[in-house]
Amino acid sequence: MRLFSVIFAYAVLLMNISGWENDFEIAQKKAEAEHKFILLNFSGSDWCGPCIRLKKDVFESESFATFSSENLVLVNADFPRLKKNQLSKEQQKKNDKLADKYNSQGIFPFTLLLNAKGKIIKSWEGNPGLLTEQFISQIKSIIDTETETCSTIKIAYRKVMKLMGNRFEITVVSEDEANAYEKIDKAIAEISRIEKLLTTFSDDSQTNLINRNAGIKPVKVDKEMFDIINRSIRISEITQGAFDISYGSIDKRLWNFDKNMTELPDPVIAKKSVHLINYKNILLNEKKCSVYLKEKGMRIGFGGIGKGYAAERAKIILQKIGVESGIVNASGDLCAWGLQPDGEEWTIGIADPNAARTSFSYLSVSNAAIATSGNYEKFITIDGKRYSHTIDPKTGLPVTGIKSVTIISPNAEIADAMATPVMIMGIKVGLDLVNQLKGIECIIVDDNDKIYTSKNINLH
């Protein structure tokens, strides 16, 4: 009789304690928003003596209320038996669902410490028999350890998109998945913006506006476009015309690089096909921020530098919004910065020109860009000899003798722009040039699979 009186005296529904939630989904959202842990308690408020004592001795104490308000979101799943204390059908359904997931054995009381995602961190079966301060201290210690551990867990999040006609893969290292993908989306927006600026597939792009007015009049452009063209001309000067954005002027009717092409064009005809390619006929007016193609029929295009520029810009955007480590990979032309989640440098494979989906060597890099140009991407074979899709702008004929060129540089735009001209210039001249350029390195694979490297390259 006395036991019944004690139970009755303390039989106030636990779910009615101030500060306790009875909807787990709401509790999770609150825990995520406030960066707190969840304390979930299963109780029998009108029949379970240990449940009632735990409530009175711990959960109703002032010290627990103070601690929990700062650190926990409290959830109670109550299972009363007296008819007068019956829960609504909706609430009973919610509690049953919680019990199926977290308390399938029907233990009362049963208390669990969960993170905001609902992962179990710690559980207590029955009344733990601890003084309030001991219970608080135990929870605090677990939270501190878990928070410290979680704060150091970094994951590489990736997203793949088709942009600029190429496969872009953007990777950022972050502790927060949602935040990581939000930042990746900003990088994608930047690449899409650049695509609209540089494309030749849109009539209203600045590139096409310049091309339509070749030999007619100068075209005023955005400073960004002006600067890209200006840098391109400087690269043309350094490479003695092996890099030239006016390559768009080539007569492409000579080159389809398919099985129907069984012989090379006549050298005289080939040279005529490239007669409009000449970076010296791209005239810039800095004061007016205008571009003029001197010869009618000239065309510029950014296929040799655009991907690298987009990758570099995406990296800059990501760094500005706090991404300390990541990779922007534009179909093999990539830039990497910071470190992997395990603290190691990024390991980048150098494509095997005989099996493009595999690597013949690897580089460990951080804060570097890599770009590769190879004849394995598109080629023809005539009389047993492979001819690259890369055309020498001086002769109008395909490049031979080199299977692939890989450039390593601090800047993705430079890496992209230098890969093709080194292939055109040839092994000796190309390596001589690279060795004179500060911060740029090179790997060349010739037609006989012999590897040549510039200074200070460490392959593994």
Side-chain angles (χ1 to χ4, degrees):
M1 190 72 172
R2 184 178 176 185
L3 177 60
F4 177 81
S5 299
V6 170
I7 294 175
F8 183 79
Y10 293 115
V12 178
L13 292 180
L14 193 56
M15 60 178 282
N16 288 331
I17 301 175
S18 177
W20 287 74
E21 296 283 350
N22 56 20
D23 189 310
F24 189 74
E25 289 184 4
I26 292 175
Q28 272 193 296
K29 291 176 182 177
K30 186 176 180 181
E32 287 179 352
E34 298 178 6
H35 305 290
K36 292 180 178 179
F37 287 75
I38 299 169
L39 191 74
L40 170 61
N41 177 254
F42 289 90
S43 68
S45 61
D46 60 4
W47 61 269
C48 170
C51 300
I52 296 168
R53 286 193 295 273
L54 178 61
K55 172 201 164 190
K56 179 180 182 296
D57 296 342
V58 177
F59 296 151
E60 288 185 332
S61 68
E62 185 177 343
S63 56
F64 181 80
T66 301
F67 171 77
S68 62
S69 67
E70 296 175 358
N71 299 277
L72 302 171
V73 175
L74 304 175
V75 183
N76 176 239
D78 191 30
F79 290 82
R81 292 180 179 175
L82 298 179
K83 188 174 182 179
K84 65 178 182 178
N85 295 328
Q86 280 184 350
L87 306 177
S88 67
K89 289 182 179 180
E90 182 183 359
Q91 186 61 54
Q92 190 63 60
K93 188 175 180 180
K94 289 179 181 179
N95 290 2
D96 288 341
K97 184 177 178 181
L98 274 179
D100 288 342
K101 184 173 182 178
Y102 291 110
N103 190 13
S104 59
Q105 295 182 354
I107 301 168
F108 293 92
F110 188 47
T111 310
L112 305 98
L113 183 66
L114 314 170
N115 65 17
K117 299 293 184 183
K119 178 184 176 182
I120 299 173
I121 308 299
K122 168 74 175 174
S123 64
W124 295 266
E125 293 187 12
N127 188 330
L130 299 171
L131 297 175
T132 302
E133 297 306 323
Q134 291 175 322
F135 189 58
I136 291 172
S137 178
Q138 192 175 108
I139 296 175
K140 185 177 185 305
S141 177
I142 295 167
I143 288 177
D144 289 345
T145 301
E146 191 70 17
T147 301
E148 183 179 349
T149 301
C150 289
S151 66
T152 60
I153 294 177
K154 294 184 178 181
I155 298 172
Y157 296 97
R158 294 178 177 84
K159 195 168 188 177
V160 177
M161 295 282 290
K162 187 172 183 181
L163 300 160
M164 303 180 74
N166 292 276
R167 181 183 186 273
F168 273 75
E169 180 177 313
I170 302 173
T171 303
V172 302
V173 176
S174 177
E175 299 167 8
D176 183 277
E177 181 177 6
N179 183 257
Y181 286 116
E182 181 180 336
K183 290 178 176 177
I184 287 174
D185 286 341
K186 292 184 185 300
I188 290 171
E190 176 68 358
I191 296 167
S192 298
R193 183 189 69 80
I194 293 166
E195 181 175 12
K196 291 177 183 177
L197 179 71
L198 303 183
T199 185
T200 57
F201 294 99
S202 174
D203 290 339
D204 59 355
S205 73
Q206 291 189 34
T207 306
N208 273 338
L209 188 61
I210 294 168
N211 290 339
R212 282 200 302 272
N213 286 280
I216 301 172
K217 64 178 181 179
V219 173
K220 184 175 175 58
V221 297
D222 294 343
K223 188 176 185 305
E224 181 179 20
M225 172 66 88
F226 185 92
D227 289 344
I228 296 169
I229 295 173
N230 193 23
R231 290 195 300 271
S232 297
I233 292 173
R234 293 208 300 270
I235 295 169
S236 295
E237 292 169 347
I238 292 169
T239 62
Q240 301 173 27
F243 173 86
D244 196 326
I245 60 169
S246 65
Y247 78 93
S249 309
I250 192 171
D251 185 349
K252 294 181 174 64
R253 290 174 295 179
L254 292 177
W255 306 108
N256 50 25
F257 290 96
D258 61 21
K259 62 183 180 181
N260 296 319
M261 190 171 183
T262 57
E263 62 180 11
L264 294 177
D266 180 270
V268 176
I269 296 174
K271 192 162 186 177
K272 282 184 179 179
S273 76
V274 295
H275 76 283
L276 289 174
I277 300 177
N278 188 348
Y279 70 91
K280 293 179 182 179
N281 287 331
I282 304 173
L283 307 181
L284 302 181
N285 186 318
E286 189 170 2
K287 288 184 179 179
K288 295 182 178 180
C289 202
S290 68
V291 181
Y292 178 50
L293 305 184
K294 188 176 177 181
E295 299 289 335
K296 196 173 179 71
M298 278 186 71
R299 290 176 58 84
I300 60 171
F302 298 94
I305 195 172
K307 284 192 301 176
Y309 176 64
E312 188 68 22
R313 282 296 310 162
K315 179 193 78 172
I316 291 169
I317 291 294
L318 289 170
Q319 288 178 326
K320 282 183 177 179
I321 57 178
V323 177
E324 297 178 355
S325 303
I327 296 180
V328 180
N329 186 344
S331 294
D333 295 349
L334 61 85
C335 54
W337 69 101
L339 301 172
Q340 296 185 71
D342 61 5
E344 298 292 324
E345 290 185 327
W346 298 99
T347 300
I348 307 299
I350 307 300
D352 185 342
N354 298 311
R357 293 186 179 180
T358 62
S359 301
F360 74 85
S361 191
Y362 296 87
L363 289 172
S364 293
V365 300
S366 178
N367 304 317
I370 296 176
T372 298
S373 180
N375 68 5
Y376 55 86
E377 297 168 335
K378 194 174 183 181
F379 63 89
I380 55 171
T381 304
I382 298 175
D383 297 330
K385 189 173 184 179
R386 180 182 288 192
Y387 293 89
S388 168
H389 75 294
T390 302
I391 304 298
D392 186 334
K394 292 188 175 75
T395 66
L397 293 172
V399 172
T400 61
I402 294 177
K403 285 185 176 179
S404 72
V405 172
T406 298
I407 299 291
I408 301 97
S409 164
N411 182 287
E413 178 184 333
I414 298 298
D416 188 16
M418 288 299 296
T420 297
V422 168
M423 178 173 271
I424 292 170
M425 296 169 81
I427 297 168
K428 185 179 185 305
V429 177
L431 285 178
D432 285 347
L433 172 63
V434 169
N435 285 329
Q436 295 176 55
L437 300 175
K438 186 178 179 181
I440 298 180
E441 302 296 340
C442 178
I443 303 164
I444 299 175
V445 181
D446 72 8
D447 279 349
N448 298 314
D449 294 326
K450 185 176 179 180
I451 299 173
Y452 301 81
T453 65
S454 60
K455 299 173 182 177
N456 303 322
I457 286 283
N458 295 310
L459 298 176
H460 61 272

